[in-house]
Structures are given as structure tokens and as C-alpha cells.
Amino acid sequence: MKTLSNIPLLRLGHAWGKLIKKKAFARGSELGLIFSAMLIGLAAGAAVSGMSWISRSLHSLIFGIGRLDWLSASIIDNKLIVLTAPIIGGMLLGVVLFILSRRRRRAIVDPIEANALYGGRISLTDSFIVAGQNLISNGFGASVGLEAGYTQLSAGLASKLGSKLNLRREDMRILVGCGAAGAIAAAFNAPLTGAFYAFELIIGTYSMVALAPVVISAIIATFVARALSGDSFLIEVGEIGTITPADYVPAILLGAICAGVGIVIMQGVAFIEELARKSSIPPYVRPALGGIVVGLLGMVTPQVLSAGHGALHLNLDSDAPVKILIGIFLLKSLASAVSIGSGFRGGLFFASLFMGSLIGKIFGMPADMITTGSLTPTVLAVVGMSALAVAIIGGPLTMTFLALEITADFPITALVLAAVITSSLVVRTTFGYSFATWRFHLRGESIRSAHDVGWIRNLTVEKLMRSDVKCARLGVSLEEFRETFPLGAAKRVILLDTSDRYAGVVSLPELYAEEADTARPRTRLEDFLTHHNDFLLPQMNAKQAVEIFDQSRAEALPVINNLIDRRVIGQLSEAHTLRRYSEELDRRRREAVGEA
């Protein structure tokens, strides 16, 4: 029963609740980030479980296997289904691509690109499109994993939440990292792997501000995925054995080998994509043609189909001859390259783990010649899967923690760390890209990681320039010019030709100093022109502007609208550009460490 005494308490409690909510989700609040990360972890775990369930249901429906069976480990008697399923999937994906080409002109942004260039902003609609394409590709047997769809959808949900909360740029980037961390953690039942995947590949750096939200999201997503999907995401390995100091030599050598193989695989995918682009085949027809190749390879062995979860476990537990392992590796490599290159949507995360495990087991025979033979095939398989995944995907600590979480063995983790460092070093020094950043490079983007460089692109000349510029026309006499622009009126005047096109810059101090110089008299205004071909464009960023200032040795330059019209629209000084550039650098540094 309500009384007069408890009504004020109710009102006070409601007011405190509103205040706490407002404080928790305020811009820059760590508490708000943690609450948001919890929600993202729930969403990521549910998204991964949902996509996995749809994929396995498609495998069961299309290929006639058991609901709990893995496609790549199944025995499929009907070879016609194996041949035609990827072709039908390619045709269905082609229809989707055809519709998208008519209705959507902009490219789809993935989490790495979003955090590098767009401050963590991802279209949720695009994320659902990518997830749908990934499910079609994987569900019909194309040799791609679902990790691309997992991370895209989870990151898209995180970005949408951040947009609704009107979070600042750095917080948006952290939330996108939380989404990716939750997706990978749920996909491998490995929260540490998911967290460091976010730090190394999505956020691009480690900071104390991001630590709690990312780890919490990864842990919650793992719990949710296990509650919904049970142990279906577990990777089980066999007997590890004893690790000795001498085992580090073959592990390091295996890391270098995996680096070389990873580079070949990435270039193979790029070669097939380039071959497809140069052909006259429309993009929406290419997946069906790629499906023919995948179907033919699948008729040889189903282990090349889908991501390869079942095939990974199958080969970890078997003692197949080296010739068989080499054959499976070559077929899987070709199937994955053709699938990605022909337009199927997906990633190479799990495929690289599977192929790396095959390389490790193949390496077992020469490894026995290097050491006393103490390394078991399982150890080499774990080292190989981590080293090849680092070469293709990147993230040395990510793959090291994955080895730790699937083996729960510290000695093998140290062995894996030596191998992945070697693999990463070889790839960075000889190739310079991971699979994702290599594809950005092929598109013309100079992105080497998810480190935030988008703010530099946003700090354009158009935003920095002054529009009030002093201009005069060529042809006027020195006397008329001096009357119009007395000493002290400006530092410099921009000259235009008869068509109002930029012609050069005149320094007023230099012009008036000429009166005292009788040894070299200059009688025409044109004699004082400098920087005839030095100018800035409005779309240039601050970094590009600084480089042009340095090359031209100019203190200030005009800004023209384009290279054809050459209409002067403003002026920008080197000092102002450097000051604003330094201010933004300091601002990003403070945001990264939580001082903003």
C-alpha cells in the first residue's frame, strides 16, 4: 500500500536510476563500454551459434548427411550431389550478386577496414548481406569458412549499438573489436584467442581502456555459444608428448616453411581473382564456374568441402601416408583459392588451420632427421596450423593463445610461439601483408592493419584552408599592384590569368624589397611569380599537404578546385597544417590511453 513517506523514495530511486544510466552510457565512459560489451558478447554468441546451425542444417539437407556430422569428414555415396551442390550454390550466389549490382553501388566495408578508415562504422544491412552470402557459400560446400560472416555480423551489431549510443570514434572502434572478439571466441571456444584477435587484427593496438570490454565480450560470447551449441566448436587434439629444447629447431624451420606456403596461397587467390577480372565473364557468373571446380575436387575427396572442421579432426586422429596428406593439402589449397577467387564469400581462417595441420604432419618425416624423433605428429600439426594461420590471417599472439586453449599445454605453447614469430617475421619482411590487407592492397587501399588512419583522411585540405585569399590578375603594372596591395596588406598575393586560372604566387615582402635592390631591377609583375605548378587540392589530407610543402619549400600554397579548371578556392599555410596535424595526433593518443 502506497504511503506519503515512500513516494519521495520512489521518485528518488527513479532519478538515481536515470542518472546512473546516463552516466554509464555517456560518451567516453568505461562503465558504459563494459555494459555495451556484455550486450555485444550475448549477440555475438547467439549469431555464431545461429549461423553454425543454419550451415550444418544446409549440409544435412543438401548432402544427406547426419545433422551432427561434419561435411568434410562424411562419406557421401551420391557423387552427383557433391558435384552439383557447389554449382547450385554458385548460381544462387550469382543471383544475389546480380541483384546487389543493380541496387547497391558502394563496396561492403569489413571490420578491419571500418576501424582503419571509418571510425568503426559498419552498415548492419551490409553485415547481414555478407553473413547471408557466407552461409550460401559454406552451406553448399564451397571451400570457405564461416569466420568472415561471424565477425562481420557481430561487428555490425556492435557498430549499430555504438551508433545508437552516439559514442565517440575511439569507443566505436573498441566496440567493433568487442564484436569480432566475441565472434572468434565463440567460434573456437577460446576467449583469449578472440580477445587477442580483436587487439591484433581489428583494433590494431592494445590499450587498458579496451582490455575489459574486449575480454568480457569474448568470455560472454563463449558461454552463450556453449550453452546454445554444446561442444560443437571444440578442437580436440591427441597426445602431446614431451617437448625438449632441441624441438625448437624443427619448429622454427616449420614456421618458415608455413610462411612460404602462406604467401603462395595468398598470391594464388589473387592470381585467380585477377584472371577472373581480366576475363569477359560477369562477376555474377564466376561463382557457378568456381563451383564446377570445387565440385570436381569434392568428388575426389569431401575433405576439400566447406571449412574443414571434420577433416581437421579426421587427419589429427589418423596415420595416413605422407602421399595422401600431400594430395589432400594440394586439393584443399586449390579448392580454397578457387572458391575465394571466383567470388564465393568467406574466409580462410579455419582452412588455414586445416592446411597448416597437414603441413605439420607432412613435415614429420624430415623433422625426425633433425631431432631424435621426440616430436609427435600431433605436436607438429598444432605448430603447423598456428604458423600457417599467422602467415595468412596474421596475429601471432592470437594463434599462440589458440594453441594454448585447444591443448591446455604450456610447453607446446612456447614451441608454437617460436614458430609463429618466425612465420610472421618471414611474411612481413618478404611479402608485407596478411590475407585481408593484401586484398586491400589489390583494391588500391594502403592499409597494413586496423590501426586508425581514417582520421588522417578526414583531416582534409578543404577543412583546413582559409577561403579569404588575396588575388590579382596578370598584366597589371607594378605601380598599380603596389597601390592595390601596400606593404603589410598581406604576406602573399595569388595571381590569376585572363581565364581566372591559377598562375602563381607573389611575395609582397620580396616585391617591396626589390625597390632597394638596384643591381637586379625587375620591371614586370610576372618577374616576381613563384610556385607556378605548386598547389593543393581540396581532397588531399594533411599528410599529403605536408609532403607538398616540403617538396615545394613553400610556407603557404593556394588550393585549387581541380587540375582542369585550376580555380583558386582557398589558401593553406604549412604552419597551420602542422599545428592541426599535431593536435589530432595528440588527441588520438589521449583517446587510446583513456585520457580524453
Side-chain angles (χ1 to χ4, degrees), residues 93-364:
L93 184 60
V95 172
V96 174
L97 293 176
F98 179 80
I99 295 173
L100 291 176
S101 68
R102 295 294 184 271
R103 297 189 176 184
R104 303 178 72 87
R105 298 296 181 184
R106 57 185 174 83
I108 292 177
V109 177
D110 78 351
I112 295 177
E113 190 177 8
N115 265 9
L117 299 179
Y118 305 112
R121 297 194 175 274
I122 307 175
S123 167
L124 184 57
T125 302
D126 287 353
S127 298
F128 277 111
I129 290 173
V130 170
Q133 291 176 327
N134 200 177
L135 283 171
I136 293 173
S137 302
N138 180 277
F140 282 83
S143 189
V144 294
L146 287 172
E147 291 78 23
Y150 293 157
T151 55
Q152 181 77 37
L153 183 55
S154 300
L157 292 169
S159 181
K160 187 68 174 180
L161 176 61
S163 298
K164 291 293 184 182
L165 295 175
N166 194 29
L167 296 183
R168 60 182 184 174
R169 182 187 186 93
E170 189 61 27
D171 293 342
M172 286 283 290
R173 297 180 72 253
I174 292 174
L175 282 192
V176 169
C178 290
I184 296 300
F188 293 96
N189 192 41
L192 285 176
T193 301
F196 277 87
Y197 178 89
F199 290 132
E200 292 186 299
L201 299 174
I202 304 300
I203 300 175
T205 185
Y206 168 84
S207 69
M208 290 301 296
V209 177
L211 177 62
V214 168
V215 172
I216 287 171
S217 176
I219 292 173
I220 291 178
T222 304
F223 288 156
V224 171
R226 291 208 66 173
L228 296 176
S229 303
D231 296 333
S232 61
F233 295 112
L234 290 176
I235 299 177
E236 298 179 357
V237 298
E239 186 66 28
I240 297 298
T242 303
I243 306 298
T244 65
D247 295 334
Y248 282 84
V249 176
I252 291 173
L253 181 58
L254 179 56
I257 292 172
C258 287
V261 173
I263 293 172
V264 171
I265 291 174
M266 288 187 283
Q267 289 183 326
V269 174
F271 173 77
I272 294 175
E273 286 183 325
E274 183 65 19
L275 195 66
R277 276 195 297 267
K278 290 182 177 179
S279 69
S280 57
I281 303 172
Y284 48 84
V285 177
R286 297 170 193 168
L289 298 179
I292 297 175
V293 178
V294 175
L296 291 172
L297 296 175
M299 293 178 68
V300 179
T301 172
Q303 293 191 42
V304 305
L305 300 176
S306 189
H309 287 78
L312 173 64
H313 291 95
L314 191 65
N315 286 281
L316 283 175
D317 297 335
S318 70
D319 295 321
V322 173
K323 291 182 180 180
I324 299 296
L325 296 176
I326 293 175
I328 295 173
F329 170 78
L330 293 176
L331 291 174
K332 180 63 177 177
S333 301
L334 179 59
S336 296
V338 169
S339 296
I340 298 292
S342 63
F344 281 105
R345 177 71 73 169
L348 292 177
F349 196 123
F350 202 94
S352 65
L353 295 176
F354 172 40
M355 290 186 287
S357 69
L358 293 175
I359 294 174
K361 298 197 75 171
I362 293 168
F363 184 73

